[in-house]
């Protein structure tokens, strides 16, 4: 009754849970973006050899053995010659130059004005070989920098490629899909241009077959990857109508058995869930959460990583969305994830958990019931630094939203010692969050059970008091103030007086049940 | 990198600079430090001396001094780890490392800018060649950071399609690279598997003094004591010892040469160093002959003096030499001159009869004044006893300074007090050895022998120190090999544990290679301890510069031992 205002007064310190959560999302997005920018320059390899008419063996015997590389001038004159055959050869030569591993001459090709020629070749329906070579060449040009991709788009490639998606020749169709993927992968602007030109429908029509296994793995992978690029990037996020259009296909791909297809489909879901709550709702509303949870239990890292990311994104949403994840049994996957051999998985799992403990107390209870608190404590003790940071957040959110009983349980699970040890962290944000957690625990002990003396003693025994005292000399003012506040309130003599004034709350008799069977209450 | 011209690349570099001198806690390091200090005094080089007993202290010492110093000289520490990785120094800190620990970490060997190794390359180093263990980044294709290495990362936004041939080439390259990596692992494993020791640091620094033509007799004596430390503490093979003794002998004759003729004869107060083919009886010139025989590892083990039979044999042996017990049991200094005259020959003759073939050993003695005569091993035992003194609660630094002082001629009293301490230590060692053997405390664990000194064993505090425990280990293993009838056990290495800090609940664990005259003194326990600790999650502290010495939580002893047995079986 009188507890409710008090609750809001201390628990979130003026910030409601949602705000707290949003801030957490932003931090993560920032990190991810930084990582993504790194990767833009590390283009990814193709793993499987492509499936098309010209086998590598053939090519080698034909002209590879003594294939001298063409110069740009030779290519230009070949393309300008009237003969179709020499145009094909020149296009192939250009494609080869663009396919070599080191320093493909993308800019030279662009400045030689070859893009419009290649785009024109895309339309030669009666001459498939040149369509294929031109598609490949343009794909590789579009794989470069933003400027290079833009050059391909300016050449009118998007509609031409969309036409080719439904080409009767599967290898041409695949190449066109790949090219569109490269264009859409450049960022929000080009992605939306691809969508506006109507790429989604033909792409989805490719998948309109009863059994996906009719396709080669490479083909299906390219389609999935391109679809994922259509879901990718924010500011703005992809148009809602397109997302809704893609969802059924995506769900189907999530049930496919190829590992790489699964991984890319999961990434697509993770992009779509990385946004506001209504964005999350579009995905969560399709009922794919149970499948995602199942994928969490897979062995393959490339699948687990995006599936966990998607789940993690969903629990940044509303309590109901979070509840859907819990109802799907996600928490039972967490013991494995929190002890995963890859530190990154541990970190993401801890991050996810931190957003769950930021939820309702019934949700915190589910975390407890799933037996995850000891794992969390374990992370605080021995995980790598980034994971520890996330675990600290999980604890702090727990202490701010948990019931007295739950917080008492947390303390009994030995959270204090590792938590206090982390006060020596160099990162002041983490220190502040820990100080918040300690304050929360004190508030619980003080208003509810009158056990703050015991708590002070415990903190002192774990060397926490020394650390908090030392923090009073911290260069960061917020840290200094928070530490000072704690010391003044709980580690100076006057507190006796305050305690006598506080009546023992009778409306919380359940809090004393624990103390009853232990004669004196003990954290 | 290895320094080839020690004068130009080391001494002249630090000549006008301030130097931080970080010295490990062993006698060879102290001797090297003494020589270096003398050189620095000579040339007015400012230095700060910091004793370090382990990696943690080394780290702290570096942190404390890195602002004021650019040049760090590390003596008998630092070579066998990736120092830059451990200390994370700024780019302008330079480390000169004079260290006997082998193998030298490969990164230290191939770092050209910050790590300068004062180590002779003709020392049996066997460093893998650069190409075998490093690959320059440029060689690697930028696209190679592909799927496998970074599994589970977000897919890239754009992908280029490669040539068919390129795919094959890349697969081929990846295969070659995997092979190369596997091979690299193997090479590094072989290289890092055993721990051993190279040429004495004191000898290295003495060579510097010699190259600078600033070597004195005192420096020569310290170099000899440094070498003798390696022999006393069983760090080098017999072969290596004899070879290095020969080197030192050349320096000794060079120094004595100058004073041979009448005109230039030295005053009796000056130091004379002489090569000796002397008795292998510890401290006998400062003890009684009888006590020295009883407390020297070599004789004690041969007679099995912990048995009644052994005691009887000793009496016979003394009788055979014709030495009256009264003479033998009184202070060596007060023995009759007539007996002392050809004592060494007399003892050798009888010893041969009793199967003690190597009672004499090549060593050196120093004399100054009429009274003061010391063998190099006397110095080592005295300094070691001071360095690890547990008598009073004095800090490691105090002990370090005392031990350092004892090496100077001007601190004769310090040296004599060290000799007294050393006697106590040797008696303690012999008594512990006897009680361990008599109460069957040495257990065969299959792949190695094991002995655990319980809390409450007499003198157990003494053996909480690494050098003392190692020495005990060596004596104990030798004694065990003489006493056991089990042939297989004679070939086993020994692991020994003793309480380290009762309050913290830790023990100190030492492993030594099997005992044999031809032993290569290569010790694999460093790696084995690491692995055993890793596999069991035991709480260990690998802080000592010798990796075969670690600290362990007492509760984790059993599981650690089990893992060690499994690992080595």
């Amino acid at each position: 009754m009188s507890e409710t205002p008090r609750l809001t007064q201390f628990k979130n310190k003026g910030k409601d849970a949602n705000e707290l959560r949003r801030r957490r999302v932003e931090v993560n997005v920032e990190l991810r973006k930084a990582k993504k920018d790194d990767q833009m320059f590390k283009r990814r390899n193709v793993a499987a050899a492509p499936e098309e008419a010209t086998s590598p063996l053939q090519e080698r015997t034909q002209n590879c053995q003594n294939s001298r590389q063409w110069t740009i001038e030779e290519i230009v004159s070949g393309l300008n010659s009237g003969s179709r055959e020499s145009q094909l050869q020149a296009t192939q030569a250009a494609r080869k130059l663009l396919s070599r591993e080191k320093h493909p001459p993308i800019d030279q090709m662009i400045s030689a004005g070859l893009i419009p020629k290649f785009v024109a070749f895309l339309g030669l329906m009666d001459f498939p070989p040149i369509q294929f070579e031109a598609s490949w060449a343009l794909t590789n040009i579009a794989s470069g920098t933003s400027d290079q991709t833009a050059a391909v788009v300016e050449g009118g490639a998007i509609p031409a490629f969309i036409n080719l998606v439904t080409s009767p020749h599967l290898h041409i169709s695949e190449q066109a899909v790949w090219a569109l993927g490269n264009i859409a992968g450049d960022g929000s602007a080009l992605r939306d241009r691809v969508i506006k030109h109507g790429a989604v429908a033909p792409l989805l029509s490719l998948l309109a077959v009863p059994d996906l296994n009719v396709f080669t793995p490479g083909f299906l992978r390219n389609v999935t990857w391109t679809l994922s690029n259509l879901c990718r990037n924010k500011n703005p996020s992809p148009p809602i109508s397109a997302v809704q259009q893609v969802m059924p296909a995506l769900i189907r791909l999530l049930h496919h058995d190829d590992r790489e297809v699964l991984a890319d489909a999961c990434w697509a879901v993770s992009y779509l869930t990385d946004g506001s709550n209504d964005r999350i709702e579009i995905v969560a509303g399709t009922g794919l959460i149970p499948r995602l949870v199942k994928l969490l239990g897979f062995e393959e890292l490339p699948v687990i990583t995006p599936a966990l990311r998607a789940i993690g994104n969903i629990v940044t949403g509303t309590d109901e969305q979070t509840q859907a994840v819990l109802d799907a049994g996600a928490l039972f996957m967490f013991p494995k994830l929190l002890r995963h051999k890859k530190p990154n998985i541990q970190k993401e799992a801890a991050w996810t958990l931190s957003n769950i403990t930021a939820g309702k107390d019934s949700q915190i209870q589910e975390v407890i019931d799933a037996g995850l608190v000891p794992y969390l404590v374990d992370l605080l003790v021995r995980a790598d630094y980034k994971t520890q940071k996330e675990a600290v957040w999980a604890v702090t959110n727990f202490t701010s939203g948990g019931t007295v009983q739950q917080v008492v349980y947390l303390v009994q699970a030995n959270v204090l010692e590792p938590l206090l040890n982390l006060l020596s962290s160099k990162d002041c944000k983490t220190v502040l969050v820990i100080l918040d957690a300690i304050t929360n625990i004190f508030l619980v002990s003080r208003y509810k059970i009158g056990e703050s003396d015991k708590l002070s003693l415990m903190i002192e025994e774990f060397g926490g008091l020394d650390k908090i005292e030392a923090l009073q000399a911290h260069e960061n003012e917020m840290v200094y103030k928070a530490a000072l506040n704690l010391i003044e309130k709980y580690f100076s003599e006057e507190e006796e007086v305050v305690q006598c004034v506080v009546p023992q709350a009778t409306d919380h008799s359940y809090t004393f049940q624990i103390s009853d069977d232990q004669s004196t209450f003990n954290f | 990198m290895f320094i080839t011209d020690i004068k130009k690349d080391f001494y002249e570099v630090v000549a006008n600079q301030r130097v931080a001198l970080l010295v490990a806690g062993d006698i060879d390091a102290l001797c090297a430090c003494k020589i270096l200090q003398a050189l620095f005094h000579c040339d007015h080089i400012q230095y700060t001396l910091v004793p370090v007993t382990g990696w943690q202290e080394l780290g702290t010492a570096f942190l404390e001094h890195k602002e004021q110093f650019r040049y760090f000289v590390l003596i008998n520490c630092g070579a066998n780890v990736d120092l830059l990785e451990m200390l994370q120094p700024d780019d302008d800190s330079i480390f000169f490392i004079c260290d006997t620990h082998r193998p030298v970490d490969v990164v230290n060997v191939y770092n050209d800018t910050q790590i300068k190794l004062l180590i002779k390359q003709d020392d049996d180093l066997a460093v893998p060649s650069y190409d075998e263990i490093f690959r320059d980044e440029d060689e690697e294709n930028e696209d190679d950071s592909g799927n496998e290495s970074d599994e589970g990362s977000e897919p890239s936004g754009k992908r280029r399609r490669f040539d068919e041939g390129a795919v094959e080439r890349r697969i081929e390259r990846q295969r070659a690279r995997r092979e190369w990596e596997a091979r690299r692992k193997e090479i590094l494993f072989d290289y890092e598997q055993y721990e051993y020791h190279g040429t004495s640091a004191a000898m290295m620094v003495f060579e510097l003094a010699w190259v600078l033509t600033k070597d004195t007799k005192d420096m020569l004596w310290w170099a000899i004591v440094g070498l003798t430390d390696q022999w006393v503490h069983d760090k080098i093979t017999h072969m290596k010892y004899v070879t290095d003794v020969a080197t030192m002998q050349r320096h000794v004759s060079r120094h004595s040469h100058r004073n041979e003729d009448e005109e230039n004869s030295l005053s009796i107060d000056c130091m004379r160093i002489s090569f000796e083919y002397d008795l292998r009886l510890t401290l006998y010139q400062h003890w009684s002959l009888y006590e020295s025989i009883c407390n020297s590892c070599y004789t004690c083990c041969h007679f099995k003096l912990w048995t009644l039979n052994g005691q009887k044999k000793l009496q016979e042996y003394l009788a055979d030499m014709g030495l009256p017990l009264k003479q033998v049991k009184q202070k060596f200094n007060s023995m009759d001159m007539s007996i002392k005259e050809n004592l060494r020959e007399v003892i050798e003759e009888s010893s041969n009869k009793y199967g003690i073939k190597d009672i004499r050993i090549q060593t050196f003695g120093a004399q100054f004044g009429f009274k003061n005569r010391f063998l190099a091993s006397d110095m080592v035992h005295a300094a070691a006893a001071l360095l690890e003194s547990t008598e009073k609660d004095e800090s490691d630094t105090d002990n370090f300074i005392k031990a350092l002082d004892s090496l100077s001629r001007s601190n004769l009293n310090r040296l004599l007090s060290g000799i007294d301490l050393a006697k106590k230590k040797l008696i303690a060692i012999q008594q512990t050895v006897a009680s361990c053997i008599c109460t069957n405390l040495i257990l065969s664990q299959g792949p190695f022998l094991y002995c655990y000194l319980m809390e409450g064993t007499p003198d157990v505090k003494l053996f909480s120190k690494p050098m003392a425990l190692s020495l005990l280990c060596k004596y104990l293993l030798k004694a065990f090999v003489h006493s056991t009838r089990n042939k297989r056990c004679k070939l086993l290495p020994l692991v020994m544990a003793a309480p380290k800090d009762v309050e913290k609940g830790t023990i100190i664990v030492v492993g030594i290679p099997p005992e044999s005259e031809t032993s290569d003194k290569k010790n694999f326990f460093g790696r084995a301890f690491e692995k055993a600790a890793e596999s069991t999650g035991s709480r260990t502290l690998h802080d000592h510069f010798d990796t075969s010495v670690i600290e362990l939580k007492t509760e984790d002893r059993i599981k650690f031992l089990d893992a060690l047995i499994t690992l080595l079986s």
Side-chain angles (χ1 to χ4, degrees):
Chain A
M1 295 143 238
S2 66
E3 171 221 7
T4 328
R6 212 188 288 139
L7 252 173
T8 46
Q9 191 190 333
F10 69 79
K11 272 190 177 162
N12 296 316
K13 297 180 134 173
K15 305 159 209 147
D16 66 305
N18 283 335
E19 195 181 331
L20 221 129
R21 220 182 248 166
R22 202 171 315 137
R23 205 182 40 220
R24 300 271 298 122
V25 177
E26 273 159 22
V27 172
N28 266 281
V29 168
E30 225 169 277
L31 286 173
R32 257 180 247 160
K33 188 165 180 317
K35 185 144 191 263
K36 198 193 97 188
D37 288 344
D38 283 350
Q39 279 177 349
M40 284 302 269
F41 298 97
K42 294 187 200 166
R43 283 164 234 137
R44 186 166 170 187
N45 298 335
V46 265
E51 315 261 330
E52 88 284 350
T54 47
S55 98
L57 271 177
Q58 258 177 350
E59 217 167 46
R60 204 170 284 169
T61 44
Q62 273 173 11
N63 49 12
C64 236
Q65 214 85 56
N66 47 9
S67 78
R68 40 166 209 98
Q69 290 191 337
W70 290 39
T71 63
I72 303 279
E73 292 74 36
E74 285 167 322
I75 292 173
V76 171
S77 68
L79 291 177
N80 286 335
S81 81
S83 136
R84 275 188 150 194
E85 201 46 48
S86 41
Q87 283 179 337
L88 174 61
Q89 272 177 15
T91 310
Q92 193 181 50
R95 180 268 286 176
K96 281 188 178 156
L97 282 181
L98 289 166
S99 305
R100 73 177 181 215
E101 277 169 276
K102 286 186 181 167
H103 318 298
I106 296 179
D107 280 329
Q108 291 93 306
M109 297 274 179
I110 294 174
S111 47
L114 299 187
I115 290 179
K117 299 232 184 270
F118 291 150
V119 172
F121 291 157
L122 294 183
L124 299 178
M125 290 302 174
D126 54 342
F127 193 21
I130 207 166
Q131 285 183 317
F132 174 68
E133 294 294 347
S135 298
W136 187 342
L138 286 169
T139 302
N140 282 3
I141 296 176
S143 76
T145 63
S146 271
D147 287 341
Q148 291 165 344
T149 311
V152 173
V153 172
E154 293 321 309
I158 295 179
F161 275 127
I162 291 177
N163 274 333
L164 283 184
V165 167
T166 46
S167 160
H169 306 280
L170 227 46
H171 67 286
I172 297 177
S173 164
E174 181 182 355
Q175 197 59 52
V177 169
W178 188 331
L180 287 170
N182 271 351
I183 296 169
D186 183 69
S188 299
L190 290 188
R191 176 199 65 205
D192 287 347
R193 260 175 95 167
V194 172
I195 292 173
K196 259 212 189 94
H197 276 97
V200 177
L203 276 172
L204 295 180
S205 76
L206 290 177
L207 298 178
V209 291
D211 182 5
L212 291 176
N213 285 320
V214 299
F215 300 114
T216 62
F219 181 87
L220 203 56
R221 240 214 96 206
N222 272 318
V223 175
T224 313
W225 174 74
T226 297
L227 281 177
S228 82
N229 268 0
L230 290 176
C231 303
R232 196 169 178 162
N233 292 313
K234 291 168 46 167
N235 306 317
S237 298
I240 288 185
S241 59
V243 175
Q244 281 165 337
Q245 212 179 339
V246 168
M247 274 322 290
L250 219 45
I251 290 171
R252 185 149 178 236
L253 291 168
L254 274 182
H255 286 84
H256 191 62
D257 49 14
D258 181 73
R259 182 186 99 148
E260 295 190 44
V261 168
L262 277 176
D264 277 343
C266 283
W267 279 110
V269 175
S270 80
Y271 302 145
L272 293 176
T273 48
D274 180 9
S276 58
N277 291 354
D278 46 325
R279 289 276 171 177
I280 295 176
E281 192 52 43
I282 295 175
V283 179
T286 62
L288 55 61
I289 291 178
R291 176 62 185 168
L292 275 180
V293 168
K294 208 164 192 181
L295 291 170
L296 273 187
F298 273 46
E299 289 302 320
E300 293 91 346
L301 191 63
V303 178
I304 299 176
T305 310
L308 179 56
R309 177 73 59 78
I311 292 286
N313 283 339
I314 294 172
V315 298
T316 64
T318 63
D319 284 347
E320 291 70 34
Q321 287 161 348
T322 305
Q323 194 57 44
V325 170
L326 299 183
D327 291 344
L331 287 177
F332 299 102
M333 302 296 176
F334 273 69
K336 205 172 96 185
L337 297 172
L338 292 170
R339 292 249 167 101
H340 200 276
K341 59 181 188 298
K342 289 280 176 188
N344 195 42
I345 295 287
Q346 290 184 15
K347 188 196 79 187
E348 294 264 322
W351 166 66
T352 305
L353 212 52
S354 78
N355 277 328
I356 296 174
T357 56
K360 295 191 292 193
D361 56 21
S362 66
Q363 294 173 335
I364 293 178
Q365 192 57 41
E366 291 198 46
V367 171
I368 296 175
D369 294 342
L372 296 181
V373 170
Y375 288 88
L376 206 53
V377 173
D378 203 45
L379 288 186
L380 289 175
V381 175
R382 66 180 88 239
D384 81 347
Y385 176 61
K386 286 179 186 160
T387 310
Q388 284 180 329
K389 247 164 103 171
E390 300 296 342
V392 165
W393 268 107
V395 167
T396 303
N397 287 346
F398 187 119
T399 57
S400 82
T403 64
V404 173
Q405 225 170 3
Q406 286 168 344
V407 175
V408 165
Y409 167 79
L410 183 68
V411 174
Q412 283 173 336
N414 297 322
V415 79
L416 275 179
E417 193 175 5
L419 194 65
L420 292 166
N421 281 339
L422 287 173
L423 277 177
S424 37
S425 156
K426 299 271 181 294
D427 176 54
C428 33
K429 185 81 211 165
T430 307
V431 174
L432 274 173
V433 175
I434 296 173
L435 293 177
D436 267 0
I438 295 169
T439 311
N440 290 341
I441 296 171
F442 261 119
L443 285 167
V444 165
S445 77
R446 181 179 184 119
Y447 286 114
K448 303 294 174 57
I449 333 169
E451 285 290 326
S452 54
D453 270 354
K454 217 163 264 172
L455 187 60
S456 308
L457 205 66
M458 281 172 76
I459 289 178
E460 204 174 334
E461 274 170 12
F462 292 139
L465 181 55
D466 293 344
K467 290 210 171 79
I468 298 171
E469 271 175 349
L471 287 175
Q472 293 183 95
H474 201 279
E475 52 194 11
N476 182 305
E477 206 184 320
M478 304 243 294
V479 172
Y480 145 74
K481 277 185 180 158
L484 183 67
N485 195 27
L486 268 174
I487 298 271
E488 278 185 344
K489 271 200 180 139
Y490 305 109
F491 294 97
S492 36
E493 295 309 316
E494 302 97 320
E495 81 183 301
E496 287 302 317
V497 189
V498 187
Q499 231 174 8
C500 301
V501 179
V502 178
Q504 300 275 311
T506 46
D507 51 341
H508 285 287
S509 52
Y510 66 91
T511 57
F512 292 103
Q513 278 166 10
I514 308 160
S515 47
D516 281 342
D517 46 22
Q518 293 184 329
S519 75
T520 59
F521 180 79
N522 209 341
F523 268 131
Chain B
M1 63 179 281
F2 291 109
I3 281 188
T4 40
D5 186 337
I6 191 173
K7 179 179 167 192
K8 197 169 124 267
D9 295 334
F10 166 57
Y11 200 73
E12 285 174 7
V13 172
V14 299
N16 294 311
Q17 309 286 338
R18 297 173 65 209
V19 182
L21 195 53
L22 312 184
V23 182
D26 66 75
I27 309 308
D28 180 37
L30 293 185
C31 292
C33 170
K34 272 299 216 188
I35 301 174
L36 208 51
Q37 279 181 297
L39 285 175
F40 284 175
H41 286 177
C42 214
D43 291 309
H44 306 289
I45 297 173
Q46 288 187 51
Y47 66 91
T48 296
L49 172 62
V50 190
V52 288
T53 57
W55 295 114
Q56 287 179 348
E57 280 192 31
L58 178 62
T60 322
F62 173 71
L63 283 180
E64 275 171 11
H65 294 90
K66 68 174 183 180
E67 302 298 332
Q68 301 98 311
F69 293 89
R70 200 176 152 212
Y71 295 100
F72 293 83
V73 177
L74 276 58
I75 298 185
N76 274 357
C77 55
N80 54 345
V81 294
D82 183 349
L83 201 64
L84 299 181
E85 175 68 30
M86 191 182 78
L87 297 178
Q88 303 282 334
D90 295 333
D91 286 346
D92 60 346
S93 301
I94 309 278
F95 298 90
F96 295 97
I97 303 175
C98 182
D99 188 1
T100 64
H101 289 96
R102 304 287 181 274
V104 181
D105 188 90
V106 287
V107 178
N108 290 342
V109 172
Y110 290 113
N111 180 297
D112 285 346
T113 49
Q114 291 184 269
I115 304 282
K116 316 278 180 185
L117 296 166
L118 309 182
I119 288 173
K120 272 199 210 166
Q121 270 176 283
D122 48 7
D123 250 12
D124 177 27
L125 287 169
V127 183
S129 75
Y130 184 85
D131 291 333
E132 281 175 321
I133 42 174
F134 293 108
R135 259 192 179 187
D136 289 328
E137 289 300 313
D138 315 347
E139 280 181 37
E140 277 161 41
N141 195 293
E142 52 193 26
D143 294 314
D144 244 6
S145 58
N147 311 352
E148 265 148 302
S149 58
D150 212 5
E151 231 191 23
S153 65
E154 197 169 341
S156 55
K158 297 175 186 177
R159 302 175 306 152
R160 196 150 63 89
R161 180 168 179 174
F162 295 107
D163 240 333
E164 297 82 355
V167 174
E168 277 165 32
R169 278 198 300 280
R170 193 167 41 253
I171 290 169
E172 172 59 25
R173 211 172 34 238
Q174 276 173 359
R175 196 187 55 79
R177 185 164 163 196
R178 266 196 292 272
E179 245 167 46
W180 178 82
E181 268 164 10
R183 171 121 187 84
R184 171 181 196 265
K185 227 174 161 183
E186 210 171 278
I187 290 171
L188 281 182
F189 179 83
D190 286 348
Y191 178 63
E192 291 171 346
Q193 191 179 10
Y194 293 105
E195 179 183 47
Y196 62 102
H197 286 269
T199 304
S200 138
M203 279 178 65
M204 275 305 294
V205 182
F206 177 75
E207 197 169 292
L208 168 68
W210 179 43
V211 170
L212 296 168
T213 62
K214 284 176 179 155
D215 55 325
T216 64
K217 271 194 184 154
D218 279 308
M219 293 181 190
L220 177 57
W221 181 235
W222 289 322
I224 288 169
V225 175
L227 167 62
T228 310
D229 169 54
Q230 292 194 304
W231 174 66
V232 168
H233 289 103
D234 210 29
K235 288 181 174 164
I236 50 173
T237 62
H238 188 70
M239 210 31 218
K240 172 82 177 148
Y241 174 69
V242 173
T243 317
D244 286 350
V245 162
T247 312
M248 295 325 288
Q249 196 186 350
R250 282 196 293 279
H251 286 295
V252 168
S253 27
R254 184 169 54 85
H255 272 268
S256 331
H257 232 55
R258 297 180 207 153
N259 319 110
E260 265 182 353
D261 48 2
E262 290 287 311
E263 280 168 48
N264 293 324
S265 72
L266 279 174
S267 143
I268 190 72
D269 290 328
C270 294
M271 181 157 79
R272 286 152 212 274
I273 303 174
S274 54
F275 172 80
E276 306 280 352
Y277 188 48
D278 214 321
L279 295 170
R280 214 161 155 178
L281 296 176
T282 318
L283 300 173
Y284 78 96
Q285 295 177 13
H286 310 275
W287 223 338
S288 75
L289 201 54
Y290 184 78
E291 278 170 300
S292 176
I293 291 174
C294 288
N295 291 299
S296 294
C297 172
Y298 188 66
T299 40
C300 177
C301 291
H302 259 285
F303 288 116
K304 297 182 207 162
L305 286 180
W306 53 88
T307 63
L308 215 57
N309 205 12
Q311 290 288 344
K312 251 191 240 161
K313 253 204 192 146
L314 174 62
Q315 305 296 333
E316 281 173 30
Y317 166 73
L318 291 172
D320 185 84
M321 284 190 280
L323 298 178
L325 267 184
K326 198 179 151 204
Q327 287 286 345
V328 171
K329 286 192 175 173
Q330 75 170 326
K331 268 165 117 186
F332 182 83
N333 272 339
S334 323
M335 268 169 85
D336 281 356
M337 280 309 286
S338 57
I339 296 179
K340 274 199 251 183
E341 237 163 46
N342 53 353
L343 184 68
R344 291 192 274 198
E345 285 73 23
V346 169
I347 291 185
E348 188 178 20
E349 204 185 311
S350 293
S351 298
N352 280 340
K353 272 193 221 163
Y354 280 78
I356 313 174
K357 295 262 164 28
D358 303 311
I359 191 77
R360 292 174 80 177
I361 181 94
Q362 300 91 322
T363 181
F364 297 89
Q367 179 152 23
F368 44 96
F370 286 103
K371 208 177 113 192
N372 307 311
R373 224 189 96 74
F374 298 96
L375 286 179
S377 61
D378 299 343
M379 306 289 289
V380 172
H381 282 289
L386 287 169
L387 189 60
E388 291 191 335
S389 163
T390 51
E391 295 268 292
K392 287 174 225 124
D393 281 328
E394 288 192 15
S395 70
D396 287 343
T397 315
D398 290 340
N399 285 336
F400 181 92
I401 298 297
K402 280 186 187 164
L404 199 61
D405 282 350
S406 74
L407 294 170
S408 304
R409 265 188 294 154
S410 50
N411 287 307
L412 206 55
N413 286 334
R414 183 73 78 207
L415 177 60
L416 293 175
S417 75
I419 286 179
D420 284 339
L421 267 183
K423 288 181 196 166
K424 284 184 197 159
K425 177 170 148 187
L426 285 165
I427 292 171
I429 287 179
Q430 268 341 310
Q431 282 171 350
T432 311
V433 166
S435 76
C436 286
I437 300 259
C438 296
T439 55
N440 288 323
L441 273 184
I442 304 143
L443 309 171
S444 168
Q445 297 286 5
F448 57 86
L449 301 167
Y450 174 69
C451 177
Y452 177 48
L453 290 186
M454 306 276 257
E455 181 59 39
T457 315
D459 302 306
V460 76
K461 198 172 168 202
L462 195 62
F463 302 121
S464 64
K465 303 283 184 176
M467 262 200 293
L469 186 59
S470 302
L471 203 62
L472 170 64
C473 237
K474 180 192 161 192
Y475 284 16
L476 183 60
L477 183 58
K478 208 173 171 113
F480 178 77
V481 166
H482 274 91
S483 74
T484 185
R485 284 193 197 85
N486 185 333
K487 281 214 177 111
R488 206 181 67 84
C489 285
K490 290 183 202 253
L491 305 172
L492 293 179
L494 172 67
V495 173
M496 196 156 183
K500 167 86 185 170
D501 189 325
V502 183
E503 271 173 35
K504 285 193 207 146
T506 56
I507 53 173
I508 175 170
V509 183
V510 174
I512 61 166
E515 162 70 30
S516 86
E517 286 296 320
T518 52
S519 162
D520 59 3
K521 311 285 180 203
K522 289 191 173 180
N523 192 331
F524 58 77
F525 278 112
R527 291 278 139 185
F529 285 168
E530 264 174 42
K531 286 219 172 115
E534 210 176 283
S535 66
T536 52
S538 301
R539 288 156 294 174
T540 53
L541 188 61
H542 302 257
D543 190 47
H544 202 264
F545 296 126
D546 289 317
T547 56
S548 56
V549 181
I550 61 163
E551 275 176 52
L552 176 67
K553 277 271 183 199
T554 315
E555 308 103 75
D556 293 347
R557 183 173 64 92
I558 303 294
K559 68 172 176 184
F560 176 82
L561 200 66
D562 286 343
L564 199 60
I565 295 168
T566 327
L567 190 71
L568 298 175
S569 305

